[in-house]
Amino acid sequence: MQRANHSTVTQFILAGFSAFPHLQLMLFLLFLLMYLFTLLGNLLIMAAIWSERSLHTPMYLFLCTLSVSEILYTVAIIPRMLADLLSTQRSIAFLACASQMFFSFSFGFTHSFLLTVMGYDRYVAICHPLRYNVLMSPRGCTCLVGCSWAGGSVMGMVVTSAIFHLTFCGPNEIHHFACHVPPLLKLACGDDVLVVAKGVGLVCITALLGCFLLILLSYAFIVATILKIPSAEGQNKAFSTCASHLTVVVVHYGFASVIYLKPKGPQSLEGDTLMGITYTVLTPFLSPIIFSLRNKELKVAMKKTFFSKFYPEKNVMI
């Protein structure tokens, strides 16, 4: 990031939702409620897994780690976005912008890597149940989680270093509510902007596509194994352990594909902003809902945890 010192721009202006001046208060209240629900949902999932000993298994360890990455991802972006909705001063320092990009990409890619690990966990549980305790040992699970976090950090550093290695000569208004790559590239000057843009896009798409293909491969083996189970009840029971993860994968990669695979061409501020909401606010909001509703064991544990906190005098039997 040495060349950042040669940029004439020392701070950026986040345009945010300036295209919707009459809706900003309503958007603030809506996004605040969704953000608080996202935090509460993920914290409740973590508390339930922590307090319920029957959930101290690799699958729920990964889910707990996924909740942590989701909380950190939203913290990196949403509080700043909410503050800007109520402010007329939307400037962000050069270093703060770089930091936001690093943390958002790090936690975002960590989330993708953890979803891939969870797919592998379901593959081992269904296709190789007798070897599950060996393949998913505490040491192995710790290694998978550590690699996911390390991989996310590497991705964040690569993308952030590439973008902020460029020179920014002005103007300095980012047509987005966060320090996002495409609007920042539009502000950069120099002969290497196109090369960096293609390189960053290739790295991001390769990582996401690689994760998605590994998940698809896991589920191809899972489906083949489930179809061999003779009873319909056994098939439903096996598939129910994958339902919440598979639904979150579809939502996560569905919205990611809208961002990374959208047709090239001139984009309006309104279009970019609204598309940004899907993966910044909506996906984290939906994730705890999906896991809590589609996973019976987790749903029961969350009810126990909730009632034990607010009604400790009652022995709730669920």
Side-chain angles (χ1 to χ4, degrees), residues 25 27 105 108 112 220:
L25 181 58
L27 290 173
F105 268 85
S112 294

Side-chain angles (χ1 to χ4, degrees), residues 197-236:
K198 290 183 177 180
V200 168
L202 181 62
V203 168
C204 292
I205 291 175
T206 300
L208 288 173
L209 191 59
C211 290
F212 184 63
L213 290 177
L214 287 174
I215 293 172
L216 282 183
L217 184 62
S218 296
Y219 275 100
F221 286 114
I222 288 171
V223 170
T225 301
I226 289 177
L227 291 177
K228 295 177 183 178
I229 300 175
S231 67
E233 183 181 354
Q235 290 180 351
N236 291 333

Side-chain angles (χ1 to χ4, degrees), residues 95-242:
L95 183 59
C97 189
S99 299
Q100 186 189 64
M101 178 178 288
F102 169 73
F103 288 117
S104 63
F105 268 85
S106 295
F107 300 135
F109 275 102
T110 297
H111 194 85
S112 294
F113 296 148
L114 286 170
L115 286 174
T116 307
V117 168
M118 292 174 74
Y120 173 71
D121 172 75
R122 292 299 82 208
Y123 158 74
V124 175
I126 294 175
C127 300
H128 302 284
L130 299 179
R131 301 178 59 196
Y132 184 80
N133 290 333
V134 175
L135 295 175
M136 303 305 293
S137 64
R139 182 177 179 180
C141 292
T142 302
C143 182
L144 289 171
V145 170
C147 289
S148 297
W149 283 98
S153 299
V154 169
M155 289 296 298
M157 182 60 69
V158 168
V159 173
T160 306
S161 298
I163 297 301
F164 285 89
H165 181 77
L166 297 169
T167 302
F168 297 92
C169 308
N172 67 338
E173 185 178 36
I174 300 174
H175 286 183
H176 208 273
F177 54 80
C179 292
H180 193 44
V181 170
L184 270 169
L185 285 171
K186 293 178 182 178
L187 303 180
C189 52
D191 298 331
D192 51 351
V193 174
L194 185 59
V195 175
V196 170
K198 290 183 177 180
V200 168
L202 181 62
V203 168
C204 292
I205 291 175
T206 300
L208 288 173
L209 191 59
C211 290
F212 184 63
L213 290 177
L214 287 174
I215 293 172
L216 282 183
L217 184 62
S218 296
Y219 275 100
F221 286 114
I222 288 171
V223 170
T225 301
I226 289 177
L227 291 177
K228 295 177 183 178
I229 300 175
S231 67
E233 183 181 354
Q235 290 180 351
N236 291 333
K237 185 177 179 181
F239 187 75
S240 66
T241 65
C242 308

Side-chain angles (χ1 to χ4, degrees), residues 283-300:
T283 301
F285 172 76
L286 292 175
S287 184
I289 297 176
I290 294 169
F291 277 116
S292 59
L293 293 180
R294 302 283 307 207
N295 189 302
K296 185 178 179 181
E297 289 181 328
L298 182 61
K299 183 162 55 175
V300 170

